[in-house]
Amino acid sequence: PVWIANAIYIARLGPVPWLDLTPFAIAVTGVVYAWSLLHLHLLNVIPVARSAIFGFIEDPIIVVDLHDRIVDLNPAAQQLASRQPAPPISPLVGRPLSALLGDQAALLDAAPLDEGPLGDIRLARAGVERVFELRASSLHDADRSPLGRVYVLRDITKRKQAEEALQQLTHSLEERVAERTRELHYQANLLEHI
């Protein structure tokens, strides 16, 4: 609009030939830009940053509304449903949480509404069972009205396998110590009777 107003003045095509409309056009353009920046968030980088960060987090993240319908999920969460690469828009959005977590979603219904770890869940996909530590966080709007929840699943399968192996080793060691203690008692009894 500014260059058009300037061209009209230079060509003397305006209603008043000596009136330069360029400063008025600059003022109107400035007001429109200011309104765009403040009200339309024209230069807001949050959606771009959110998308980049949300996509690179390796832990599955699931956002649900107050009715436990999936609102958003990252590619790692989408891959819980299938082994295929995650599509840009998940077919799981709008579906109940049970569509992703199956019968494990019932554990979330029984979970307290406070923040923090909710426990472990086991998910089997393609014959492979994985163990996840489940954490939850409530979502609120500016007035602190509840909007939904965010669930973060941390894959702790290797840790659980290591804990189980350690328990087996501990049990085996305790049995060996008990057996050796019995042998030593038997030897001590024999020595007493000699």
Side-chain angles (χ1 to χ4, degrees):
V2 174
W3 64 270
I4 293 173
N6 194 284
I8 290 172
Y9 173 69
I10 291 173
R12 304 274 190 235
L13 297 175
V16 180
W18 50 266
L19 181 62
D20 186 2
L21 298 176
T22 306
F24 299 110
I26 291 173
V28 169
T29 303
V31 169
V32 169
Y33 284 157
W35 182 81
S36 297
L37 289 172
L38 297 175
H39 294 288
L40 298 179
H41 306 286
L42 186 65
L43 298 179
N44 197 347
V45 296
I46 291 175
V48 175
R50 177 227 160 263
S51 218
I53 292 169
F54 202 59
F56 285 112
I57 295 175
E58 294 180 7
D59 292 335
I61 300 174
I62 307 160
V63 181
V64 297
D65 64 10
L66 294 174
H67 303 289
D68 281 341
R69 288 184 308 247
I70 298 173
V71 176
D72 200 1
L73 64 166
N74 70 344
Q78 292 179 48
Q79 288 179 351
L80 287 177
S82 72
R83 294 283 175 217
Q84 304 299 323
I89 298 175
S90 174
L92 293 167
V93 171
R95 297 188 58 204
L97 189 57
S98 59
L100 178 64
L101 299 181
D103 59 349
Q104 297 288 327
L107 297 174
L108 303 181
D109 293 334
L113 293 177
D114 57 347
E115 312 288 319
L118 299 178
D120 299 342
I121 62 171
R122 294 179 180 273
L123 296 174
R125 297 291 189 263
V128 177
E129 183 179 81
R130 292 167 53 194
V131 182
F132 293 92
E133 176 186 68
L134 180 66
R135 298 183 69 83
S137 180
S138 298
L139 291 176
H140 302 279
D141 64 9
D143 298 326
R144 301 294 299 156
S145 298
L147 295 174
R149 296 183 85 184
V150 176
Y151 295 107
V152 179
L153 288 78
R154 166 103 6 140
D155 191 344
I156 58 169
T157 305
K158 290 181 181 177
R159 183 177 84 193
K160 285 293 185 182
Q161 290 170 344
E163 286 174 0
E164 289 171 6
L166 183 61
Q167 281 182 331
Q168 290 174 352
L169 287 173
T170 302
H171 181 68
S172 173
L173 183 60
E174 287 172 350
E175 286 179 351
R176 289 175 60 193
V177 167
E179 183 181 326
R180 185 69 179 138
T181 302
R182 282 191 299 273
E183 288 175 10
L184 289 174
H185 282 299
Y186 176 74
Q187 296 291 333
N189 285 338
L190 283 178
L191 287 175
E192 284 180 10
H193 293 306
I194 297 184

